[in-house]
Amino acid sequence: MPVDATEPVVILPEVWQRPEILESLRSRNIGQLFRLIRQHTGASQTRIGIAVNLSQGKISEIMKGTVQVTSFEVIERIADGLNMPDPARMALGLAPKGPVLTPGAAPSGQVPLPEPDVPTKYLTTLTGTSSRPVISGLRHVLTGHIQAEAIMGPPLLVNAVTSQIPLIGHVCRVTRGADRAEALNFASELLEFCGWLHQDLGDFPQATMWTNKALDYAMELGDQRVISYVLMRKSAIAIESGDHGHGLGLANAALTTPEALTSRLRAVILRTRAIANAHLGEATDSARDSETALIEATAGLSQTEPDRAPYCTPAYIAMETGATRLLLGQATTAIPIFEASRSQWTPASQARDHALFLTRMATAYAMAGDRDQARAVTEEAIPRIQALRSSRVAGQLATLRIQLSRWSTDRPVADLLTRLDLLAESFFLPAPRPPEGER
């Protein structure tokens, strides 16, 4: 006797617990799910279609894989039409219909499932509709993290930031429509910041991994400004880890379409390329990029468009230009560059960058043989360094100590060296080896 096409599709509880069914739910492979349901129940495409309010032709296309189901509304309709139990709904990323089962409280005949932890349960209830307030809230949190990191460095923040990544990843998976661009933009920003935290801790493999993931989101977003900024960050990590040629190539890639970028973005990318050229001994190219970066950063003071480089001020570019001169062994030309921008560093300036600026300037004076100025600037830098835990600052301290050690028989300098040693020990960070040009 033929089965009535309108007869409901009955799926036994144990079918929903089969590994292949759970895998299709977790991956949201609806075509595979329909094929498995047909295999285990014998239901026709027409019966499945009636159950989930889709045509037989659409069910056929989904089962063949020619059509992918991505609409949250359709996924919810499929779950309801097939009478999915709550564990199956949660595997699909949907909210349970009833209360979440506690361990050992599963109905008779079913294998009890462990109760998910609170974040996991929260993710299962998150939909595209509810993602915007999540993004807004996380953006406020990220803003606070960025401000705090500039003052105290990354160690106390890296775990907190990393813990938010699964949440924003889930937001990107479930968000559609106009909100998706905002989700992708925020995801790339969060992961790029996570990459920065690891870079400043001196963990370059982790920094590269997270920044690569940030670039994935940026590429999906398709915003050239975001793509170029993340490429610049990849360039900076490559340069700092010693892969200077690759860093130069990435900086060039970031500048492929300069007309699409803001003045500040062009400035920060040119700064990065200048540093790569300095490491490679290309003094002329480095100087040209530094000069152009300063022009762009100055133009950026009147910029009204938002971007990810508000920190790229003329004072910041001057600090980085002075650093390139140190890399090239040109301490005497670095000093006037540092001094010219010294007054632009205010108490409200980023603490780490200001500390890095003073440490580099002290290094320049020491390299140039001016003991008294080197000691005076070092004394000014120490209070600003004490609260920081930055690999870059630790590396510059190591370079400064090497330069000051030539006067180790001088009592004031000897005392200063002892204080620098104690300060370096408190960092609990591996200081990067000083570059050749700064030893």
Side-chain angles (χ1 to χ4, degrees):
M1 180 177 177
V3 177
D4 185 351
T6 62
E7 186 176 335
V9 179
V10 179
I11 305 172
L12 297 176
E14 56 265 27
V15 172
W16 291 112
Q17 299 184 54
R18 297 184 67 88
E20 64 271 24
I21 292 280
L22 289 172
E23 176 56 33
S24 67
L25 292 170
R26 293 190 186 103
S27 61
R28 287 194 171 180
N29 188 337
I30 305 301
Q32 181 185 26
L33 175 65
F34 284 166
R35 291 193 297 272
L36 289 169
I37 287 173
R38 188 172 188 184
Q39 173 187 327
H40 289 292
T41 67
S44 66
Q45 292 180 356
T46 300
R47 285 177 66 200
I48 295 173
I50 291 173
V52 301
N53 196 23
L54 291 172
S55 69
Q56 180 274 327
K58 184 65 68 176
I59 296 295
S60 176
E61 292 177 333
I62 294 171
M63 291 176 70
K64 290 177 182 177
T66 55
V67 169
Q68 301 295 321
V69 178
T70 58
S71 167
F72 181 81
E73 180 185 353
V74 174
I75 291 173
E76 183 85 49
R77 190 196 316 160
I78 290 170
D80 291 342
L82 297 176
N83 291 312
M84 285 187 191
D86 283 346
R89 292 178 62 88
M90 293 169 70
L92 190 57
L94 302 177
K97 286 288 189 180
V100 177
L101 295 176
T102 57
S108 175
Q110 293 189 25
V111 177
L113 299 175
E115 183 177 8
D117 55 33
V118 172
T120 301
K121 288 192 293 183
Y122 180 78
L123 288 181
T124 64
T125 67
L126 189 63
T127 68
T129 305
S130 61
S131 64
R132 176 160 283 282
V134 173
I135 298 171
S136 177
L138 287 179
R139 184 167 290 286
H140 283 295
V141 172
L142 179 59
T143 299
H145 284 334
I146 292 172
Q147 293 170 347
E149 190 275 334
I151 297 171
M152 64 185 186
L156 299 179
L157 296 171
V158 66
N159 289 338
V161 172
T162 304
S163 70
Q164 294 168 3
I165 291 175
L167 175 56
I168 195 61
H170 187 79
V171 167
C172 289
R173 284 192 293 274
V174 303
T175 304
R176 299 291 183 268
D179 289 343
R180 182 163 179 76
E182 175 60 20
L184 293 171
N185 183 51
F186 179 75
S188 72
E189 186 174 359
L190 178 68
L191 270 71
E192 178 270 312
F193 180 62
C194 188
W196 159 249
L197 293 176
H198 283 91
Q199 178 186 349
D200 206 35
L201 285 169
D203 189 345
F204 300 124
Q206 284 290 308
T208 300
M209 181 193 75
W210 290 117
T211 310
N212 283 341
K213 291 179 181 294
L215 184 60
D216 288 343
Y217 282 116
M219 294 296 290
E220 186 178 352
L221 178 64
D223 187 318
Q224 187 56 53
R225 293 180 180 181
V226 176
I227 293 170
S228 290
Y229 186 81
V230 179
L231 283 171
M232 180 278 297
R233 291 287 304 114
K234 282 174 59 66
S235 172
I237 294 168
I239 294 167
E240 202 166 316
S241 64
D243 196 351
H244 307 134
H246 184 46
L248 178 61
L250 287 168
N252 285 331
L255 278 172
T256 301
T257 54
E259 68 281 355
L261 309 179
T262 64
S263 295
R264 287 193 302 240
L265 287 175
R266 287 192 292 269
V268 77
I269 298 169
L270 286 164
R271 170 276 274 168
T272 306
R273 193 168 73 177
I275 294 172
N277 277 316
H279 277 289
L280 294 168
E282 301 292 343
T284 301
D285 290 342
S286 179
R288 182 195 63 239
D289 284 341
S290 293
E291 290 170 7
T292 309
L294 182 59
I295 293 171
E296 293 284 6
T298 302
L301 292 175
S302 58
Q303 177 182 315
T304 56
E305 296 176 87
D307 57 31
R308 294 194 185 175
Y311 58 85
C312 191
T313 62
Y316 177 83
I317 293 298
M319 174 186 71
E320 297 292 89
T321 301
T324 64
R325 300 297 171 87
L326 293 181
L327 290 170
L328 293 164
Q330 301 172 359
T332 54
T333 60
I335 290 171
I337 294 173
F338 285 131
E339 287 290 358
S341 64
R342 191 173 186 178
S343 62
Q344 298 176 42
W345 291 93
T346 65
S349 301
Q350 289 198 342
R352 181 187 44 250
D353 286 345
H354 195 182
L356 196 57
F357 167 80
L358 291 171
T359 311
R360 285 173 173 171
M361 183 162 67
T363 302
Y365 274 118
M367 288 176 65
D370 192 331
R371 180 193 61 187
D372 293 340
Q373 282 289 357
R375 185 162 61 86
V377 177
T378 302
E379 292 282 4
E380 184 180 349
I382 286 176
R384 302 182 182 279
I385 295 171
Q386 287 173 333
L388 292 171
R389 297 296 182 270
S390 164
S391 178
R392 288 199 304 162
V393 176
Q396 195 63 51
L397 274 179
T399 301
L400 175 59
R401 196 201 183 289
I402 291 170
Q403 294 297 329
L404 288 173
S405 63
R406 73 180 72 181
W407 300 298
S408 59
T409 57
D410 180 80
R411 181 58 180 273
V413 174
D415 291 343
L416 186 58
L417 290 172
T418 299
R419 291 163 59 198
L420 289 178
D421 289 341
L422 292 172
L423 188 57
E425 288 176 6
S426 72
F427 270 43
F428 303 112
L429 289 171
R433 195 175 175 208
E436 292 291 337
E438 294 189 13
R439 292 183 189 167

